[in-house]
Amino acid sequence: MKKLISTLIAGTAATAAVIYFSGYGYIFKALAINLKKGPFTPSTDDEEKFPSREVPNLHPQPWEKDASYNSIILNENILKDLTKTRASSLVIIRDNKLLYEQYWKDHDASSLMNSFSMAKGILAILVGCAIDDGYLKSEDQLVSSVFPVYKNSHFGKFLTIRHLMMMQAGLDWKEEYHHPFAPNSKQYFVDDLAEQAFNLEIKEMPGEKYEYQSAAAQLLGLVLKKVIGRELSTYLSEKIWQPLGMELSAKWSTDEKGMEKAFCCIHATPRDFAKIGQLIMQNGIWQERQLISKEYCQRLLAPTELNDAFCYTIWADDESDIKYRFFYGFLGQFIIMIPEKKMVVVKTGFYNRLDVDKKQRPLQVKLLIDELCKIC
């Protein structure tokens, strides 16, 4: 028995050494974090698992409640789908008023939910702010103008801010979420996001192929942080959180060096996420102030030529009877904008097997729109 135990220990140690020296040491960090602080898999409740920077609010301005607040009854199709996909919240804004909200799984209106990739759309909003503020010339500014090392790259010297937002960067990166050795798993737990992003090769000409890559958003975050000269969370507070009168401060998860996870992980309330959708649906105007230029907001929501379901990291559907745009995050996080109905819908959840259409858009978004528009 002692020999067997010794063999098992030696085998385990050898396996651990192979994992560590193969560049997958972050897996041990992931195990330690999750065993100590909650579920092993990523969750909308990951707020306390990682270091973070606060995104302060200033003068909270709660949503005005609609006269029929919470009087609508969700139909069976919606309830069945929300149950299946383990919804944690549903918030509906109509005509700039809070029409409906419901929370599940011990959450309430003050719960901070993980945005996951909805943060990519918020990052694209900050790019518009940086252009308005003169930190960037335009979306077509070369990444090499900020990080000169890309001038020495065969394809990298052609890479622009626009390519990063349109997911046409040509990075040597395969988006994969379903096993612990995937690049995305490493990105979620790695100690140094800048090192990971800068070590990626650009394998093909930017602008010639659509390929969704979270690494593109992280590189964009590094570019933006460099040009604005301060933390992304500080800039988000200055340009969005404070002017919109968010009800609560948010948190933006960081790596161990303090760099925000630009590809994900802004923790905020569904009510406050809804304000971001309302702002963009109003072409950057909030309470008669133009916070982001109208022209940029229109470009932000314009489908790309290579993928007409994708804009600047915001998704689109112009084929349905009711046209809409939406921010989309892992596990089913959505900020849905329906201009013709003057509605914004925020839904958060915990489900990693959402059915999608041929353009990779979650069918749940269309179901919510179709069904909610019948009853709202």
Side-chain angles (χ1 to χ4, degrees):
M1 178 61 71
K2 290 182 178 180
K3 184 176 180 181
L4 177 60
I5 292 174
S6 298
T7 302
L8 287 173
I9 292 173
T12 301
T15 301
V18 170
I19 290 174
Y20 184 83
F21 289 110
S22 297
Y24 297 107
Y26 65 90
I27 289 176
F28 301 115
K29 177 182 176 182
L31 286 168
I33 289 173
N34 286 294
L35 288 173
K36 181 179 179 181
K37 297 186 178 179
F40 180 71
T41 54
S43 164
T44 52
D45 298 330
D46 280 355
E47 171 200 346
E48 299 299 331
K49 286 185 179 181
F50 302 98
S52 63
R53 293 190 183 279
E54 185 181 15
V55 183
N57 63 344
L58 187 58
H59 301 298
Q61 298 175 8
W63 285 101
E64 179 183 351
K65 292 183 178 179
D66 189 274
S68 54
Y69 168 74
N70 266 12
S71 65
I72 67 170
I73 299 176
L74 300 181
N75 64 36
E76 184 178 348
N77 288 338
I78 296 175
L79 289 173
K80 182 179 178 181
D81 192 65
L82 292 176
T83 300
K84 173 186 174 183
T85 58
R86 302 176 64 203
S88 52
S89 71
L90 180 69
V91 169
I92 304 171
I93 307 299
R94 185 183 65 185
D95 292 325
N96 229 319
K97 295 179 182 178
L98 179 59
L99 176 66
Y100 182 89
E101 62 183 331
Q102 186 171 352
Y103 303 90
W104 296 267
K105 305 183 188 304
D106 298 322
H107 297 95
D108 57 36
S110 65
S111 299
L112 301 185
M113 311 285 197
N114 192 343
S115 68
F116 288 109
S117 288
M118 293 197 303
K120 295 180 174 75
I122 296 172
L123 189 67
I125 292 171
L126 293 183
V127 168
C129 295
I131 293 171
D132 290 343
D133 289 343
Y135 294 117
L136 291 170
K137 295 176 182 178
S138 74
E139 304 98 290
D140 293 315
Q141 184 170 336
L142 291 168
V143 171
S144 63
S145 69
V146 181
F147 295 117
V149 66
Y150 286 96
K151 293 179 180 179
N152 302 321
S153 168
H154 181 68
F155 294 123
K157 60 188 175 185
F158 300 104
L159 183 65
T160 68
I161 304 297
R162 189 190 300 270
H163 292 141
L164 295 173
M165 293 191 293
M166 297 191 305
M167 294 297 170
Q168 297 173 20
L171 299 172
D172 187 11
W173 174 280
K174 182 174 176 56
E175 195 80 359
E176 171 60 65
Y177 303 91
H178 301 295
H179 64 80
F181 297 98
N184 294 81
S185 299
K186 182 174 183 178
Q187 189 179 42
Y188 199 61
F189 291 101
V190 73
D191 288 344
D192 191 341
L193 286 163
E195 181 182 36
Q196 183 191 35
F198 289 138
N199 282 338
L200 289 173
E201 294 291 330
I202 300 177
K203 63 181 180 180
E204 53 198 359
M205 180 63 74
E208 293 189 352
K209 178 184 176 182
Y210 166 84
E211 185 176 2
Y212 189 95
Q213 298 177 322
S214 289
Q218 189 60 46
L219 180 53
L220 177 61
L222 289 161
V223 169
L224 189 58
K225 180 179 179 179
K226 181 74 177 292
V227 299
I228 64 176
R230 49 199 186 278
E231 309 300 340
L232 297 180
S233 49
T234 301
Y235 199 53
L236 178 59
S237 174
E238 293 173 4
K239 306 306 293 187
I240 303 296
W241 236 251
Q242 293 185 32
L244 265 58
M246 296 301 201
E247 293 187 30
L248 291 174
S249 296
K251 294 182 178 180
W252 199 336
S253 295
T254 71
D255 65 12
E256 296 299 328
K257 294 183 177 295
M259 176 65 207
E260 288 89 350
K261 296 181 179 181
F263 64 95
C264 83
C265 307
I266 297 171
H267 301 266
T269 68
R271 286 185 182 182
D272 286 343
F273 280 135
K275 286 190 173 184
I276 293 173
Q278 189 71 41
L279 171 69
I280 300 306
M281 196 168 69
Q282 295 172 174
N283 284 316
I285 295 176
W286 191 263
Q287 296 180 348
E288 300 182 354
R289 290 180 58 198
Q290 191 77 50
L291 301 183
I292 313 164
S293 74
K294 177 180 178 180
E295 294 76 19
Y296 181 81
C297 288
Q298 291 172 341
R299 297 196 299 276
L300 178 73
L301 299 179
T304 64
E305 291 184 9
L306 292 180
N307 183 356
D308 64 6
F310 201 76
C311 310
Y312 285 177
T313 64
I314 293 173
W315 294 76
D317 187 342
D318 286 337
E319 302 127 61
S320 298
D321 292 337
I322 300 174
K323 297 177 174 57
Y324 56 90
R325 299 288 185 270
F326 63 101
F327 298 67
Y328 175 20
F330 180 61
L331 299 182
Q333 324 310 316
F334 307 118
I335 303 171
I336 307 167
M337 298 165 283
I338 317 168
E340 70 178 84
K341 298 294 183 179
K342 297 182 179 179
M343 286 176 57
V344 173
V345 178
V346 172
K347 177 261 171 185
T348 62
F350 297 84
Y351 193 70
N352 189 27
R353 297 184 298 278
L354 291 174
D355 294 326
V356 297
D357 65 16
K358 63 182 180 181
K359 296 182 180 180
Q360 300 303 302
R361 293 173 299 207
L363 297 179
Q364 184 179 55
V365 175
K366 182 169 172 45
L367 181 146
L368 284 171
I369 291 169
D370 289 344
E371 298 297 331
L372 288 175
C373 287
K374 294 177 185 176
I375 60 177
C376 294

